[in-house]
Amino acid sequence: MRGSMELPSLVDVGRRADAVRVLSCYYGLNGHEAHRYAGARFDTWDSAGTRGSSHNRFTADDLVAVSFLSVSVPPLAAEALLDTLADDFAELLEELGPDRDLVEERTPWAEDWVGWRLWGMLDALPSVGPTTASKLYARKRPRLRPIYDSVIAEVIGSNRWWEPLRAHLQQDPGLHPHLLSLRDDLKVPFDLSALRILDVLLWMHGKNNTTCTLT
């Protein structure tokens, strides 16, 4: 696959109405309640009511949340996240700092950047890999870390996503505000990051689910 990335026309400003319709379908909003996708729960799942106070620590709710995106965290990986390596992950998350928009990252990250170290530790968990690792990462820093999977890779034409997207947001300064404006038009009753809006649009495009059909 190429190292560069491409975005489908569904993300273009001129297709705002189509994008809002697709997002409404995914989240079951604005008359599309019957079409809500299971993945919509990824953004809000918080059975213990601790998500707001656990930014720097993985919880059982995070493991349940990624299951709504069709992945599961294997037992040994879960044990590491919640017990044996929990403090190590917490230290890295704390060093990474509060969540912030990817567009605010103006320059490429150094190889020893804490974000890469956290990524490497997640990716190295037993039987996890980049897809599940990205979804776990996105639960803790949804504005900074985009979700990656085979569908996204096929849509953008690349198996690299995070750094190319960071660079693309700098080259296209209108993309981030456009994604936020789609969120506003969606009238979603909870917070969604610009990256999550983009992820849903790319995934729905990749799955050819742009006419509000059920999965």
Side-chain angles (χ1 to χ4, degrees):
M1 278 188 179
R2 301 184 300 278
S4 59
M5 52 168 281
E6 302 173 1
L7 297 180
S9 64
L10 183 60
V11 181
D12 294 348
V13 173
R15 294 193 61 187
R16 172 183 295 273
D18 292 333
V20 172
R21 175 176 49 79
V22 169
L23 291 165
S24 296
C25 178
Y26 186 89
Y27 283 102
L29 298 169
N30 307 316
H32 296 286
E33 287 73 15
H35 295 93
R36 183 176 69 87
Y37 283 66
R41 296 306 306 273
F42 170 79
D43 305 282
T44 59
W45 185 260
D46 187 18
S47 67
T50 60
R51 190 178 184 198
S53 60
S54 61
H55 298 298
N56 293 332
R57 187 168 291 271
F58 286 100
T59 69
D61 272 335
D62 296 325
L63 275 58
V64 173
V66 300
S67 72
F68 289 112
L69 298 180
S70 302
V71 299
S72 60
V73 178
L76 292 179
E79 180 185 34
L81 287 164
L82 303 180
D83 184 18
T84 56
L85 296 178
D87 290 343
D88 296 322
F89 280 110
E91 289 177 7
L92 288 173
L93 284 164
E94 185 173 0
E95 184 180 348
L96 180 60
D99 199 16
R100 66 271 193 186
D101 289 316
L102 181 58
V103 71
E104 296 174 4
E105 303 290 300
R106 307 294 183 187
T107 58
W109 303 296
E111 290 185 4
D112 62 348
W113 176 54
V114 61
W116 288 134
R117 286 187 278 128
L118 175 58
W119 169 251
M121 194 170 173
L122 285 168
D123 189 34
L125 287 170
S127 303
V128 168
T131 294
T132 302
S134 75
K135 293 172 182 180
L136 287 165
Y137 209 137
R139 269 286 290 190
K140 307 318 300 181
R141 297 294 187 271
R143 293 164 54 195
L144 178 65
R145 169 68 219 194
I147 290 171
Y148 169 90
D149 62 19
S150 60
V151 176
I152 299 297
E154 183 65 26
V155 169
I156 66 173
S158 174
N159 57 4
R160 297 180 61 246
W161 183 214
W162 199 2
E163 167 57 26
L165 179 57
R166 186 206 62 76
H168 187 87
L169 287 166
Q170 299 302 310
Q171 297 162 6
D172 182 3
L175 178 57
H176 180 80
H178 171 59
L179 294 170
L180 294 183
S181 72
L182 293 176
R183 181 187 66 187
D184 293 341
D185 287 355
L186 182 61
K187 296 180 172 60
V188 65
F190 49 85
D191 189 37
L192 280 178
S193 70
L195 297 188
R196 181 65 170 133
I197 291 290
L198 180 61
D199 170 60
V200 171
L201 291 176
L202 297 186
W203 188 84
M204 292 286 275
H205 171 83
K207 299 290 284 187
N208 292 317
N209 292 334
T210 56
T211 57
C212 283
T213 56
L214 289 171
T215 58

